Amino acid sequence: MSFLYANQVIERCASTNDLAKALGDSGYPHGTWISARVQEGGRGRLGRKWESREGNLFLSMICRIEDRSLWTWVPLATAVGAARAVEKLAEVRIKWPNDLWVHGAKLGGVLCEAVGNSNGTFIVAGIGLNCADSPKGIDQPATSLTESAGGRSVSADEVRQSVISGVLESWRALHEAGPEWVAREYESMAALEPGTEISWDQSSGTVLGLGALGELRVRLPSGEVRSLYAEDVKIRVRRA
Ligand code: BT5
């Protein structure tokens, strides 16, 4: 890559996470961000696609929290920060691990990727937030801030700075106050409350809550307690 753009909104790219990785590789500090108006190859977790419609927010930030024991909490902390930033515009809940949800429809998602090289190790946190528009006809219901705000049009430009500040604040609290802060915030906004019946892969169970690493603790029908980790599963809600 011949040019690096830090803390800027660029016109188009394949994935803002790739650009943030390049920035991190070059030594850019904690909190550096990059955003694009058009994202042509947006990625979700597990190789899934992120539908990136024009007018929505595509943002990636570099996280250099040094204490590795906190890293499993970064995706949840990112979701908490982004959710707090838009809670005045939508009744937003967090669906574990880090989907932003409004009344059962997906408003946004977070993709965290760890990168390690000679310039140190860091996390790229990518945030996709539907602002102007949401994709229809995909495999789950989707919504946007414009739809949630009762038709008043909400642009990516309107929310970008609040999302950046919200995420930075949440990372600072994770670093200074520890995972308990994230867990408390998360639980106050959780879509999957204790008692919610969920299914994943070929399994099902009842949500118990978060474990010490930010994993989701679930009771199986057999009574056994299982831990689910963010990188492994796609969860469906059966009933609350
Ligand atoms: C995520 O993955 O939700 C993480 C999305 C992260 C996107 C950001 S945009 C900036 C940065 N650059 C990137 O390349 N990525 C990040 P996951 O939990 O795997 O959810 C993906 C699933 O969400 C898909 O399989 C669809 O079901 C659904 N989906 C895809 N696009 C959507 C959209 N725009 N709105 C709502 N749901 C969507």
Side-chain angles (χ1 to χ4, degrees), residues 15-17 39 41-46 48-52 57-60 99 106 108-111 126-128 130 135 138-140 142 234:
S15 160
T16 54
N17 265 30
Q39 179 171 256
R43 302 196 305 270
R45 298 178 303 130
L46 305 168
R48 291 191 285 257
K49 183 175 176 202
W50 184 252
E51 301 286 341
S52 303
L57 181 70
F58 316 113
L59 170 71
S60 297
D99 282 359
K106 187 158 169 171
V110 172
L111 170 67
I127 300 139
N130 298 326
I138 58 171
D139 59 348
Q140 60 174 303
K234 183 163 183 172

Side-chain angles (χ1 to χ4, degrees), residues 50-56 105-108 129-138 140-148:
W50 184 252
E51 301 286 341
S52 303
R53 299 174 72 99
E54 216 169 323
N56 294 339
K106 187 158 169 171
L107 176 73
L129 191 62
N130 298 326
C131 298
D133 197 10
S134 64
K136 302 294 174 228
I138 58 171
Q140 60 174 303
T143 190
S144 67
L145 288 175
T146 293
E147 287 159 82
S148 304

Side-chain angles (χ1 to χ4, degrees), residues 25-232:
D25 281 344
S26 308
Y28 277 84
H30 180 80
T32 301
W33 60 270
I34 177 82
S35 184
R37 295 200 186 283
V38 176
Q39 179 171 256
E40 286 160 344
R43 302 196 305 270
R45 298 178 303 130
L46 305 168
R48 291 191 285 257
K49 183 175 176 202
W50 184 252
E51 301 286 341
S52 303
R53 299 174 72 99
E54 216 169 323
N56 294 339
L57 181 70
F58 316 113
L59 170 71
S60 297
M61 298 173 65
I62 295 174
C63 178
R64 291 190 190 270
I65 292 180
E66 270 173 29
D67 182 351
R68 291 281 202 108
S69 71
L70 299 176
W71 277 27
T72 57
W73 287 92
V74 169
L76 288 175
T78 305
V80 163
R84 286 283 182 230
V86 297
E87 67 185 345
K88 289 201 174 66
L89 296 167
E91 283 180 44
V92 55
R93 317 291 298 167
I94 303 171
K95 181 194 167 218
W96 187 90
N98 37 39
D99 282 359
L100 303 194
W101 248 22
V102 179
H103 302 305
K106 187 158 169 171
L107 176 73
V110 172
L111 170 67
C112 284
E113 299 178 294
V115 185
N117 68 10
S118 54
N119 263 327
T121 51
F122 58 93
I123 297 174
V124 167
I127 300 139
L129 191 62
N130 298 326
C131 298
D133 197 10
S134 64
K136 302 294 174 228
I138 58 171
D139 59 348
Q140 60 174 303
T143 190
S144 67
L145 288 175
T146 293
E147 287 159 82
S148 304
R152 180 178 82 77
S153 126
V154 180
S155 70
D157 288 341
E158 182 179 334
V159 298
R160 184 178 297 102
Q161 204 50 56
S162 319
V163 172
I164 293 168
S165 308
V167 171
L168 284 177
E169 173 56 24
S170 193
W171 288 352
R172 191 190 59 75
L174 168 62
H175 182 238
E176 289 177 6
E180 299 74 22
W181 181 91
V182 181
R184 258 196 325 274
E185 286 288 297
Y186 170 87
E187 273 157 15
S188 72
M189 305 181 88
L192 304 182
E193 286 164 326
T196 307
E197 299 281 336
I198 60 169
S199 59
W200 67 97
D201 302 332
Q202 309 306 319
S203 311
S204 62
T206 309
V207 171
L208 296 174
L210 293 182
L213 301 174
E215 76 276 23
L216 192 67
R217 309 269 292 155
V218 178
R219 189 180 303 284
L220 303 181
S222 66
E224 184 196 330
V225 175
R226 173 83 57 87
S227 292
L228 303 181
Y229 293 89
E231 52 279 10
D232 299 334

